[in-house]
Amino acid sequence: MRSTRHTTSDASADPPLPATGASTTALLACGVVAGPLFIASVLAQALTRAGFDPQRHPLSSLSLGHLGWIQIATFVVTGLLVLAYAVATRRVLHPGRGGTWAPLLIGVNGASLIVSGVFLADPINGFPPGMSEQPTWHGIVHSLAPALAGLAGLATYAVFARRFAAAGRPGWAAFCLVVAPIVVVLNFAALPAADFRLILAGLALSWTWTSLIAARLMAEARSRTTNHSLPPRTDL
């Protein structure tokens, strides 16, 4: 009976995860820097673009006009960084808990950012001045990208919360579960309040969470690599 219980316990536990290399650490760093890069670019543009009001205009409007290439590049570059982070997440977590869904969901977010850059939003609330505000097909595609990213993001919070809880890290699990509803409330409150700054606040919180999770995975990867490289003990 003792042998049977031991076998059952081992089967339910996560398998040991492999050591990771320098390339994986570099890809995880992409997840750390993606958020700060995105927020810094958006804030710099919001404060300097003539006619842009962060309360009345969504950040996607920054993709329009003669300086719109800056925000387009921001979307695409950040998306590529997130895709690189998704690859690293697969390497770090697979075949353990979250090793399948976390990288897939993170990859969806990265792809959504790239789509947001490739397909331009429609002008809104008079920005940019002089451009028609009639809906376009590319504006519709653009609007679908953040919706898809939002759903994937909510699922990502849940996946990491489950992983941290199973690993005996209740603080990190609680962090995931607390951030998720705050981001949702900020996004849903933006339209009734007629204030797109609430969405920016939600994005800043979400990107902060992403950076901290990536940094946490980086620490785990380094610790695993260090332990893997230690010589085996010869004492009995």
Side-chain angles (χ1 to χ4, degrees), residues 77-114:
V77 171
T78 306
L80 292 174
L81 290 173
V82 173
L83 288 179
Y85 170 47
V87 173
T89 305
R90 167 81 178 182
R91 293 182 183 180
V92 172
L93 298 183
H94 191 78
R97 197 180 302 272
T100 298
W101 281 106
L104 284 175
L105 293 167
I106 292 170
V108 169
N109 274 285
S112 297
L113 285 164
I114 295 174

